[in-house]
Amino acid sequence: MSIVNVKQKEDVQSLAGDFLAVAQKAAIAAYPWIGKGNKIGTDQAGTTAMRDEMNRINMNASIVIGEGEMDEAPMLYIGENLGAGTEPQVDIAVDPIEGTTLVSKGQDNSLAVIAVAKRGTLLHAPDMYMEKMAVGPEAKGCINIEASLTENMKSVAKVLGKDVSELTVMMQERTRHNHLMKQVFNLGAKVRLFSDVDITGAIATAVDELDVDILVGTGGAPEGVIAAVALKCLGGDFQGRLVPKSEKELVRCKKMGIANPHALLTMDDIVKSHDCFFVATGITDGPLLKGVRKRNHKLITHSFVATAEQSQFIEARHKVPFI
């Protein structure tokens, strides 16, 4: 009979160290799949590693944002219960491999990401598009996703004490964002484009060294929830608005408890509690985190952990038998 190593914790944020191990193990499990052209194998490896580790933590957890619906195992499906205890009761938004295509092609900026919050406080965002806007702590309270990007840039520049032409606006390189790029260029400001994983772009607005003032664009709603948790911990700001594109998606919104699918969503609408945290570990190199590396028979991971009290980058060395 196996013995479960139950880890005793009392509140949500005290679980951050345990979830650091969850993200690290998912990233390490994905490492052998980098550049192998197998998205399914990559995802299954990360998912299995995450599930196994989360089931060792003394908590009562529910997946509110995962990789699929119930009965779509081996994914971490919406509604799946995890943990080896009854308290604390938490909601989890997770993507074991954020950027599976990036991993399969050996490209940059893939992550293992997890957001955790007190039970009942995370938006149950359907798997559809969301308009997003994010800024760091100095510009908190200065954005309005219902206004034009031009107006938002002027507002952010004013509070940052910059000329609007000095701003850097990050967005995903997609044709749907051409009208946003035009507004940035018209003000003489700078665009920084990325291919995938807008969670990194949102967090970048709150990390001074990355020199990003605004993240804007339309991307996945589940990733929007994860980014909102990170920015809540970092003191930044985030707004979103769901973009249902069919009657089926409208019905799905209402089924998940969203009465007005077109409403503006503030950060407090998306994550209602400050008792939350965010963890990410790099799989391949990106602007925020280094990818998993092998050195002298050890694997090196680079992670980022943010709680309401602090944020930190963590480099760890793992013995190869770890995988």
Side-chain angles (χ1 to χ4, degrees):
M1 182 175 68
S2 63
I3 299 175
V4 177
N5 179 21
V6 176
K7 305 169 182 179
Q8 301 293 332
K9 298 292 176 181
E10 296 178 355
D11 56 50
V12 174
Q13 292 188 60
S14 67
L15 297 174
D18 293 320
F19 275 86
L20 169 61
V22 173
Q24 289 171 333
K25 290 190 176 182
I28 287 173
Y31 173 74
W33 296 90
I34 295 173
K36 297 295 181 65
N38 190 334
K39 292 171 58 177
I40 294 175
T42 302
D43 211 31
Q44 288 181 346
T47 298
T48 299
M50 273 200 173
R51 177 184 281 120
D52 289 348
E53 186 65 15
M54 284 192 285
N55 274 326
R56 295 170 63 85
I57 300 172
N58 192 48
M59 64 178 178
N60 180 338
S62 177
I63 301 291
V64 298
I65 290 177
E67 297 198 289
E69 300 298 326
M70 189 176 293
D71 299 327
E72 288 187 2
M75 307 308 222
L76 285 162
Y77 58 81
I78 297 169
E80 181 172 359
N81 294 315
L82 297 163
T86 58
E87 296 291 340
Q89 296 185 26
V90 301
D91 285 343
I92 296 176
V94 62
D95 195 339
I97 311 294
E98 172 68 344
T100 51
T101 298
L102 300 177
V103 176
S104 69
K105 294 181 177 180
Q107 295 176 326
D108 289 348
N109 202 28
S110 59
L111 309 164
V113 294
I114 313 166
V116 181
K118 184 179 178 181
R119 176 68 54 83
T121 62
L122 287 184
L123 177 73
H124 292 211
D127 188 7
M128 62 180 61
Y129 278 119
M130 173 189 277
E131 295 176 4
K132 309 173 190 181
M133 185 173 291
V135 291
E138 292 181 4
K140 183 177 174 62
C142 295
I143 57 173
N144 178 5
I145 203 169
E146 295 185 324
S148 68
L149 177 56
T150 298
E151 293 175 81
N152 278 285
M153 289 176 65
K154 291 178 178 179
S155 176
V156 170
K158 182 177 180 180
V159 74
L160 294 181
K162 294 183 176 183
D163 185 89
V164 70
S165 65
E166 297 178 284
L167 294 181
T168 298
V169 181
M170 200 165 193
M171 65 185 74
Q172 193 174 19
E173 189 173 11
R174 296 290 188 271
T175 56
R176 62 178 178 267
H177 295 151
N178 285 349
H179 70 291
L180 297 173
M181 282 189 272
K182 185 177 180 181
Q183 291 178 67
V184 177
F185 295 147
N186 285 344
L187 291 175
K190 183 193 300 180
V191 166
R192 184 176 298 176
L193 299 174
F194 62 93
S195 64
D196 290 286
V197 187
D198 61 8
I199 293 173
T200 299
I203 294 171
T205 64
V207 179
D208 292 341
E209 293 80 2
L210 297 182
D211 192 28
V212 175
D213 299 299
I214 304 173
L215 177 281
V216 67
T218 300
E223 291 81 2
V225 175
I226 295 172
V229 172
L231 283 167
K232 189 152 197 170
C233 294
L234 294 167
D237 206 355
F238 183 96
Q239 288 189 3
R241 182 166 52 196
L242 294 173
V243 187
K245 294 188 173 183
S246 65
E247 183 63 28
K248 182 179 179 180
E249 290 191 344
L250 284 169
V251 170
R252 181 155 165 70
C253 286
K254 293 179 180 179
K255 181 181 177 182
M256 297 181 75
I258 301 170
N260 182 0
H262 300 287
L264 180 153
L265 297 167
T266 67
M267 188 160 60
D268 289 338
D269 293 322
I270 297 170
V271 51
K272 298 179 175 65
S273 173
H274 287 281
D275 195 5
C276 59
F277 63 87
F278 168 87
V279 180
T281 298
I283 300 171
T284 55
D285 289 346
L288 182 68
L289 294 168
K290 298 174 184 176
V292 180
R293 291 156 288 153
K294 190 173 183 179
R295 298 285 186 277
N296 297 324
H297 306 291
K298 291 184 179 180
L299 293 178
I300 303 171
T301 58
H302 191 215
S303 304
F304 180 70
V305 180
T307 69
E309 284 76 30
Q310 65 176 357
S311 62
Q312 57 184 318
F313 290 93
I314 299 168
E315 186 172 276
R317 286 161 172 76
H318 313 263
K319 293 181 180 179
V320 171
F322 181 85
I323 61 174

